[in-house]
Amino acid sequence: MAARRILLIIGGGIAAYKAIELVRLLRKSGHIVRCVLTRAGEQFVTPLTLAALSENRVYTSLFDLKDEVEMGHIQLSREADLVVVAPATADLMAKMANGIADDLATTLLLATDKPVLAAPAMNVRMWLHAATQRNVATLRGDGVTVMAPDEGEMACGEYGPGRLPEPAAIKAAIDKALTAPAILSGQPDFAPANHRPLHGRRILITAGPTHEPIDPVRYIANRSSGKQGFAIAAAAVEAGAEVLLVAGPVPLPTPPGVVRVDVETAREMATEVEAGLPVDAAIMVAAVADWRAADTSSQKIKKDSSGQVPPLALAENPDILASVAKSAQRPPLLVGFAAETNDVLTHAQAKLDRKGCDWIVANDVAADPMGGETNQVHIVSKNGVHSWDRLPKEVVARKLMEKIADELDARIPSQSD
Ligand code: C5P
C-alpha cells in the first residue's frame, strides 16, 4: 500500500503503551505518523518516545500551535488521510460524541474533514455503561469507525470487554480504512448523502475476462482481473445509479447495491447484455476474448505418445460493444475500454470509429500489467482526448462517474431533476 499520513491521537489510559507499538508498525509499513498526546496520555507515555519512533514532532497542547505559523490546528487535522484515536478512552469518546473541543486532541477531532477510527480502551463497567454505549452509537452514526474492544482480564483485575485491541488488529483496521474509496480519492468521507449525480440513471457495466472452453478442463482467456470494472460498478452505485454488472469469471466480491450476473463466455455475456438493455449508459470494461475454440470437446482432450499436437481451430466471438452500438436499444452514452501495449491513442481513435461508441477509455497495459491497483487512462471521444494521471482504480472509477453524470445531464436531462 502507498504511504499514507496518519494522525494518531493517544488518550490517557494504561493501554497507551500499546500506541508505541502501533506507531512502530505503522512506520514499518512506510506510513507517515504524527502523534498527538492528551494531557492524560502524557501520564502514560512520553512525547520523547513517540517523537523518536514516529520521527516526527509530537503535539500535546493547543498552545503548541498558537502562533499558527508553523502548523495550524486546522491544517494538522486535515493534512492526514486518516485520524486514529488509540486508546479512545470513555472520556475522549464522550467529548467526541458531543462535539466538545476543550484541548488539542478534541479540537482536532472536531475540526477534521477526514475519516476517524477509534480503538476504545477502558474498564469493563465503563464500556458497558449506558452512557458509553450511547456515545459509541452516536459516533458510529456520525461515520466514525469504532472498533470493538478486546475481551479479557483488565489491568484493574476485572474481566470483560474493554481492553484495547492489539496493535496488529488496530493496524489491520487502519489498512482497511485506508483502502476505502473516500480516502483513496482524497474526498471527505461525509460527502453529502444527497450528492447523487446519477440518481435515477440505469447503468450497465461489463467486467472481467471471458473464459472460452476448449474442453471440460481447458479454456482460452486473458489476464483481466475485473478490478477496474468492479470499481466502476461500486462508484456508479455510490453516485446513485441503478447498476447491472455482467461479470466474467473473477473472484471479486459484489460491490454493495450492485445487481450482478455472472457469465463464462463471450456469447453468454452478449446475451446478458442484450437482456439488460435499455439503459442510460453502458460501460464495457470487460476484456472479452476475441476468439473461442471453434469446436469444444465434451471430454478432456488426451495427450498421447505420438507427439502430434491437437489442432485448435478458432472462431470469432461476437463483438458485444459494436453490436450494442448498432442495436435499436443503443444507450444514449456508450463507453468502450481499450487495453493497448503500443500507440495507445492511435488505436483508441480507430477503435472509437470501428466500434461506434461515444468514448473509448484507453490504457497502456505495457506500463501497468493487467491486475494492478492503478490505471492511467485517456478518454478519447470525437471532441478530443482527456488524459488523467496514474491513479488508483477506485479514483479512476469515481472520476469517470462524474464525467458520465455530466455527459448524461447534457444529453438527457434526468427525470428526477
Ligand atoms: O477490440 P477490443 O477488444 O480491443 O475492444 C475493447 C472494447 O470492446 C472493450 O470495451 C470491450 O469490452 C469491448 N469488446 C466487446 N466484445 C468483444 C471484444 C471487445 O464488447 N468481443
Side-chain angles (χ1 to χ4, degrees):
M1 182 190 293
R4 301 276 167 186
R5 286 160 310 196
I6 293 161
L7 182 69
L8 175 62
I9 294 176
I10 300 161
I14 187 70
Y17 74 92
K18 289 191 190 170
I20 296 171
E21 172 65 2
L22 179 61
V23 173
R24 203 185 61 76
L25 291 176
L26 292 169
R27 288 292 298 135
K28 210 169 129 196
S29 298
H31 296 308
I32 298 156
V33 185
R34 271 189 202 278
C35 296
V36 171
L37 254 179
T38 63
R39 187 189 286 266
E42 271 188 89
Q43 305 300 315
F44 296 91
V45 286
T46 69
L48 193 62
T49 312
L50 293 168
L53 278 171
S54 66
E55 297 169 82
N56 241 325
R57 181 169 167 199
V58 173
Y59 298 85
T60 54
S61 153
L62 199 50
F63 302 101
D64 291 351
L65 301 166
K66 261 296 182 254
D67 66 11
E68 300 277 325
V69 173
E70 186 198 342
M71 167 79 76
H73 66 275
I74 300 291
Q75 189 191 345
L76 184 57
S77 75
R78 299 201 181 154
E79 64 149 29
D81 294 301
L82 178 70
V83 180
V84 178
V85 190
T89 59
D91 174 65
L92 249 180
M93 288 201 295
K95 286 179 175 163
M96 286 165 74
N98 289 286
I100 294 171
D102 62 355
D103 64 1
L104 178 61
T106 49
T107 302
L108 296 173
L109 285 161
L110 198 60
T112 191
D113 61 355
K114 294 296 158 31
V116 178
L117 172 85
M122 66 199 71
N123 164 273
V124 55
R125 293 280 150 226
M126 290 167 78
W127 171 254
L128 294 174
H129 196 285
T132 302
Q133 290 304 308
R134 213 166 39 236
N135 291 333
V136 169
T138 301
L139 288 171
R140 288 186 174 146
D142 290 346
V144 174
T145 304
V146 182
M147 294 178 73
D150 276 359
E151 200 166 320
E153 195 163 341
M154 324 242 15
C156 54
E158 289 185 56
Y159 189 92
R163 286 165 57 105
L164 185 73
E166 288 306 315
I170 302 175
K171 163 79 170 39
I174 290 173
D175 285 342
K176 190 164 168 226
L178 288 173
T179 54
I183 292 187
L184 292 168
S185 65
Q187 297 295 315
D189 210 15
F190 48 81
N194 59 359
H195 183 66
R196 299 267 184 267
L198 288 170
H199 179 76
R201 307 291 194 191
R202 194 173 142 76
I203 297 196
L204 186 152
I205 296 158
T206 67
T210 62
H211 285 183
E212 311 295 334
I214 297 170
D215 68 16
V217 296
R218 304 181 180 95
Y219 57 83
I220 299 168
N222 59 58
R223 295 187 189 279
S224 169
S225 65
K227 284 181 194 163
Q228 183 65 81
F230 274 59
I232 288 172
V237 165
E238 237 174 72
E242 196 186 310
V243 178
L244 172 65
L245 173 65
V246 182
V250 283
L252 294 176
T254 309
V258 167
V259 176
R260 171 178 180 173
V261 179
D262 284 319
V263 297
E264 263 312 287
T265 67
R267 287 188 292 178
E268 286 167 16
M269 188 173 272
T271 306
E272 293 300 338
V273 165
E274 206 188 318
L277 299 176
V279 291
D280 296 299
I283 313 166
M284 310 296 229
V285 197
V288 183
D290 290 318
W291 303 285
R292 64 179 183 274
D295 303 299
T296 52
S297 167
S298 60
Q299 290 183 338
K300 184 179 172 189
I301 302 168
K302 301 300 289 179
K303 188 165 76 175
D304 61 26
S305 53
S306 69
Q308 289 281 312
V309 178
L312 179 61
L314 298 177
E316 194 163 320
N317 267 334
D319 190 314
I320 307 168
L321 177 57
S323 33
V324 169
K326 281 192 222 113
S327 90
Q329 304 209 81
R330 185 196 194 281
L333 182 61
L334 182 56
V335 180
F337 266 63
E340 303 289 352
T341 54
N342 57 292
D343 302 319
V344 178
L345 293 181
T346 317
H347 286 309
Q349 203 76 54
K351 202 161 286 181
L352 189 68
D353 301 335
R354 199 171 66 242
K355 303 264 186 177
C357 54
D358 301 300
W359 302 347
I360 285 283
V361 182
N363 62 310
D364 185 342
V365 287
D368 181 28
M370 283 166 142
E373 301 300 328
T374 63
N375 212 352
Q376 198 207 344
V377 303
H378 312 272
I379 299 174
V380 182
S381 73
K382 67 175 185 336
N383 299 325
V385 179
H386 283 272
S387 297
W388 294 341
D389 291 340
R390 175 164 297 283
L391 295 165
K393 286 181 173 171
E394 287 83 356
V395 182
V396 171
R398 285 183 159 211
K399 283 173 69 84
L400 192 61
M401 280 310 124
E402 275 167 29
K403 201 168 158 58
I404 285 178
D406 289 347
E407 188 70 23
L408 284 177
D409 285 346
R411 286 178 188 224
I412 34 163
S414 165
Q415 307 294 308
S416 59
D417 281 350

PDB file of all heavy atoms in Angstrom, residues 1 12 33 41 45 89 131 142 185 192 195 202 208 221 240 246 283 305 311 328 350:
ATOM      1  N   MET A   1       0.842  -1.202   0.000  1.00  0.00           N
ATOM      2  CA  MET A   1       0.000   0.000   0.000  1.00  0.00           C
ATOM      3  C   MET A   1       0.878   1.253   0.000  1.00  0.00           C
ATOM      4  O   MET A   1       1.922   1.273   0.645  1.00  0.00           O
ATOM      5  CB  MET A   1      -0.868  -0.033   1.269  1.00  0.00           C
ATOM      6  CG  MET A   1      -1.821   1.134   1.348  1.00  0.00           C
ATOM      7  SD  MET A   1      -2.608   1.254   2.949  1.00  0.00           S
ATOM      8  CE  MET A   1      -3.612  -0.205   2.926  1.00  0.00           C
ATOM      9  N   GLY A  12      -5.543   9.033  27.451  1.00  0.00           N
ATOM     10  CA  GLY A  12      -4.903   8.647  28.720  1.00  0.00           C
ATOM     11  C   GLY A  12      -5.473   7.366  29.270  1.00  0.00           C
ATOM     12  O   GLY A  12      -6.620   7.316  29.685  1.00  0.00           O
ATOM     13  N   VAL A  33       3.510   9.223  10.356  1.00  0.00           N
ATOM     14  CA  VAL A  33       2.671   9.282  11.557  1.00  0.00           C
ATOM     15  C   VAL A  33       2.967  10.564  12.331  1.00  0.00           C
ATOM     16  O   VAL A  33       4.122  10.890  12.581  1.00  0.00           O
ATOM     17  CB  VAL A  33       2.945   8.064  12.477  1.00  0.00           C
ATOM     18  CG1 VAL A  33       1.989   8.063  13.665  1.00  0.00           C
ATOM     19  CG2 VAL A  33       2.847   6.757  11.702  1.00  0.00           C
ATOM     20  N   GLY A  41      -2.845  11.313  28.465  1.00  0.00           N
ATOM     21  CA  GLY A  41      -1.964  10.390  27.749  1.00  0.00           C
ATOM     22  C   GLY A  41      -0.520  10.581  28.151  1.00  0.00           C
ATOM     23  O   GLY A  41       0.256   9.620  28.257  1.00  0.00           O
ATOM     24  N   VAL A  45       2.657   7.753  28.507  1.00  0.00           N
ATOM     25  CA  VAL A  45       3.786   7.657  27.564  1.00  0.00           C
ATOM     26  C   VAL A  45       4.370   9.053  27.364  1.00  0.00           C
ATOM     27  O   VAL A  45       3.667  10.054  27.518  1.00  0.00           O
ATOM     28  CB  VAL A  45       3.363   7.087  26.178  1.00  0.00           C
ATOM     29  CG1 VAL A  45       3.116   5.607  26.238  1.00  0.00           C
ATOM     30  CG2 VAL A  45       2.167   7.810  25.607  1.00  0.00           C
ATOM     31  N   THR A  89     -10.441   6.685  25.090  1.00  0.00           N
ATOM     32  CA  THR A  89     -10.987   6.491  26.440  1.00  0.00           C
ATOM     33  C   THR A  89     -12.476   6.855  26.455  1.00  0.00           C
ATOM     34  O   THR A  89     -12.982   7.491  25.517  1.00  0.00           O
ATOM     35  CB  THR A  89     -10.253   7.405  27.434  1.00  0.00           C
ATOM     36  OG1 THR A  89     -10.430   8.754  26.982  1.00  0.00           O
ATOM     37  CG2 THR A  89      -8.768   7.085  27.508  1.00  0.00           C
ATOM     38  N   ALA A 131     -24.158   5.219  29.118  1.00  0.00           N
ATOM     39  CA  ALA A 131     -23.676   6.494  28.543  1.00  0.00           C
ATOM     40  C   ALA A 131     -22.625   6.227  27.469  1.00  0.00           C
ATOM     41  O   ALA A 131     -22.661   6.822  26.385  1.00  0.00           O
ATOM     42  CB  ALA A 131     -23.095   7.375  29.651  1.00  0.00           C
ATOM     43  N   ASP A 142     -22.337   8.988  13.271  1.00  0.00           N
ATOM     44  CA  ASP A 142     -21.666  10.154  12.662  1.00  0.00           C
ATOM     45  C   ASP A 142     -20.617   9.723  11.643  1.00  0.00           C
ATOM     46  O   ASP A 142     -19.924  10.567  11.066  1.00  0.00           O
ATOM     47  CB  ASP A 142     -20.962  10.991  13.745  1.00  0.00           C
ATOM     48  CG  ASP A 142     -21.955  11.707  14.646  1.00  0.00           C
ATOM     49  OD1 ASP A 142     -23.143  11.769  14.293  1.00  0.00           O
ATOM     50  OD2 ASP A 142     -21.530  12.206  15.711  1.00  0.00           O
ATOM     51  N   SER A 185      -9.571   8.648  -2.866  1.00  0.00           N
ATOM     52  CA  SER A 185      -9.846   9.765  -3.766  1.00  0.00           C
ATOM     53  C   SER A 185      -9.571  11.099  -3.102  1.00  0.00           C
ATOM     54  O   SER A 185      -9.711  12.134  -3.716  1.00  0.00           O
ATOM     55  CB  SER A 185     -11.305   9.736  -4.197  1.00  0.00           C
ATOM     56  OG  SER A 185     -12.116   9.961  -3.072  1.00  0.00           O
ATOM     57  N   PRO A 192     -21.963  14.875   1.013  1.00  0.00           N
ATOM     58  CA  PRO A 192     -23.389  14.912   1.325  1.00  0.00           C
ATOM     59  C   PRO A 192     -24.135  13.739   0.708  1.00  0.00           C
ATOM     60  O   PRO A 192     -23.889  13.390  -0.450  1.00  0.00           O
ATOM     61  CB  PRO A 192     -23.853  16.236   0.719  1.00  0.00           C
ATOM     62  CG  PRO A 192     -22.647  16.909   0.169  1.00  0.00           C
ATOM     63  CD  PRO A 192     -21.454  16.046   0.374  1.00  0.00           C
ATOM     64  N   HIS A 195     -25.635  13.983  -2.609  1.00  0.00           N
ATOM     65  CA  HIS A 195     -24.830  14.199  -3.807  1.00  0.00           C
ATOM     66  C   HIS A 195     -24.856  12.910  -4.621  1.00  0.00           C
ATOM     67  O   HIS A 195     -23.995  12.061  -4.508  1.00  0.00           O
ATOM     68  CB  HIS A 195     -23.401  14.585  -3.436  1.00  0.00           C
ATOM     69  CG  HIS A 195     -22.571  14.874  -4.651  1.00  0.00           C
ATOM     70  ND1 HIS A 195     -22.814  15.937  -5.475  1.00  0.00           N
ATOM     71  CD2 HIS A 195     -21.532  14.208  -5.203  1.00  0.00           C
ATOM     72  CE1 HIS A 195     -21.944  15.920  -6.473  1.00  0.00           C
ATOM     73  NE2 HIS A 195     -21.160  14.882  -6.330  1.00  0.00           N
ATOM     74  N   ARG A 202     -29.883   4.375 -15.058  1.00  0.00           N
ATOM     75  CA  ARG A 202     -29.617   2.933 -15.069  1.00  0.00           C
ATOM     76  C   ARG A 202     -28.346   2.712 -15.884  1.00  0.00           C
ATOM     77  O   ARG A 202     -28.226   3.194 -17.012  1.00  0.00           O
ATOM     78  CB  ARG A 202     -30.821   2.238 -15.718  1.00  0.00           C
ATOM     79  CG  ARG A 202     -30.843   0.764 -15.502  1.00  0.00           C
ATOM     80  CD  ARG A 202     -32.153   0.178 -16.022  1.00  0.00           C
ATOM     81  NE  ARG A 202     -31.886  -1.116 -16.643  1.00  0.00           N
ATOM     82  CZ  ARG A 202     -31.649  -2.227 -15.974  1.00  0.00           C
ATOM     83  NH1 ARG A 202     -31.687  -2.224 -14.654  1.00  0.00           N
ATOM     84  NH2 ARG A 202     -31.399  -3.357 -16.597  1.00  0.00           N
ATOM     85  N   GLY A 208     -14.265  -7.941 -16.220  1.00  0.00           N
ATOM     86  CA  GLY A 208     -13.556  -9.218 -16.118  1.00  0.00           C
ATOM     87  C   GLY A 208     -13.228  -9.803 -17.477  1.00  0.00           C
ATOM     88  O   GLY A 208     -13.515  -9.192 -18.520  1.00  0.00           O
ATOM     89  N   ALA A 221      -8.389 -17.559 -22.311  1.00  0.00           N
ATOM     90  CA  ALA A 221      -8.775 -16.378 -21.524  1.00  0.00           C
ATOM     91  C   ALA A 221      -7.693 -15.323 -21.623  1.00  0.00           C
ATOM     92  O   ALA A 221      -6.739 -15.479 -22.382  1.00  0.00           O
ATOM     93  CB  ALA A 221      -8.999 -16.775 -20.066  1.00  0.00           C
ATOM     94  N   GLY A 240     -25.410   6.979  -7.056  1.00  0.00           N
ATOM     95  CA  GLY A 240     -26.867   6.921  -7.056  1.00  0.00           C
ATOM     96  C   GLY A 240     -27.494   6.123  -8.182  1.00  0.00           C
ATOM     97  O   GLY A 240     -28.719   6.056  -8.276  1.00  0.00           O
ATOM     98  N   VAL A 246     -22.467  -7.194 -15.512  1.00  0.00           N
ATOM     99  CA  VAL A 246     -22.347  -8.510 -16.147  1.00  0.00           C
ATOM    100  C   VAL A 246     -20.868  -8.881 -16.049  1.00  0.00           C
ATOM    101  O   VAL A 246     -20.015  -8.243 -16.677  1.00  0.00           O
ATOM    102  CB  VAL A 246     -22.830  -8.475 -17.612  1.00  0.00           C
ATOM    103  CG1 VAL A 246     -22.738  -9.868 -18.225  1.00  0.00           C
ATOM    104  CG2 VAL A 246     -24.259  -7.953 -17.697  1.00  0.00           C
ATOM    105  N   ILE A 283     -21.127   0.750 -19.990  1.00  0.00           N
ATOM    106  CA  ILE A 283     -19.664   0.897 -19.905  1.00  0.00           C
ATOM    107  C   ILE A 283     -19.076  -0.497 -20.039  1.00  0.00           C
ATOM    108  O   ILE A 283     -19.217  -1.330 -19.138  1.00  0.00           O
ATOM    109  CB  ILE A 283     -19.246   1.534 -18.565  1.00  0.00           C
ATOM    110  CG1 ILE A 283     -20.113   2.768 -18.280  1.00  0.00           C
ATOM    111  CG2 ILE A 283     -17.783   1.913 -18.583  1.00  0.00           C
ATOM    112  CD1 ILE A 283     -20.013   3.262 -16.861  1.00  0.00           C
ATOM    113  N   SER A 305       1.270 -40.493 -27.046  1.00  0.00           N
ATOM    114  CA  SER A 305       2.729 -40.546 -27.213  1.00  0.00           C
ATOM    115  C   SER A 305       3.156 -40.301 -28.667  1.00  0.00           C
ATOM    116  O   SER A 305       4.329 -40.394 -28.987  1.00  0.00           O
ATOM    117  CB  SER A 305       3.248 -41.902 -26.727  1.00  0.00           C
ATOM    118  OG  SER A 305       2.514 -42.914 -27.386  1.00  0.00           O
ATOM    119  N   PRO A 311      -5.029 -30.048 -33.228  1.00  0.00           N
ATOM    120  CA  PRO A 311      -5.276 -28.747 -33.871  1.00  0.00           C
ATOM    121  C   PRO A 311      -6.257 -27.938 -33.028  1.00  0.00           C
ATOM    122  O   PRO A 311      -7.135 -28.506 -32.382  1.00  0.00           O
ATOM    123  CB  PRO A 311      -5.903 -29.151 -35.214  1.00  0.00           C
ATOM    124  CG  PRO A 311      -6.503 -30.488 -34.971  1.00  0.00           C
ATOM    125  CD  PRO A 311      -5.690 -31.165 -33.901  1.00  0.00           C
ATOM    126  N   ALA A 328     -31.064  -1.315 -31.834  1.00  0.00           N
ATOM    127  CA  ALA A 328     -32.144  -0.320 -31.740  1.00  0.00           C
ATOM    128  C   ALA A 328     -32.163   0.268 -30.327  1.00  0.00           C
ATOM    129  O   ALA A 328     -32.683   1.362 -30.117  1.00  0.00           O
ATOM    130  CB  ALA A 328     -33.462  -0.995 -32.065  1.00  0.00           C
ATOM    131  N   ALA A 350      -9.006   4.789 -33.612  1.00  0.00           N
ATOM    132  CA  ALA A 350      -9.522   3.885 -34.645  1.00  0.00           C
ATOM    133  C   ALA A 350     -10.658   3.038 -34.077  1.00  0.00           C
ATOM    134  O   ALA A 350     -11.670   2.790 -34.739  1.00  0.00           O
ATOM    135  CB  ALA A 350      -8.392   2.995 -35.150  1.00  0.00           C
TER     136      ALA A 350
END
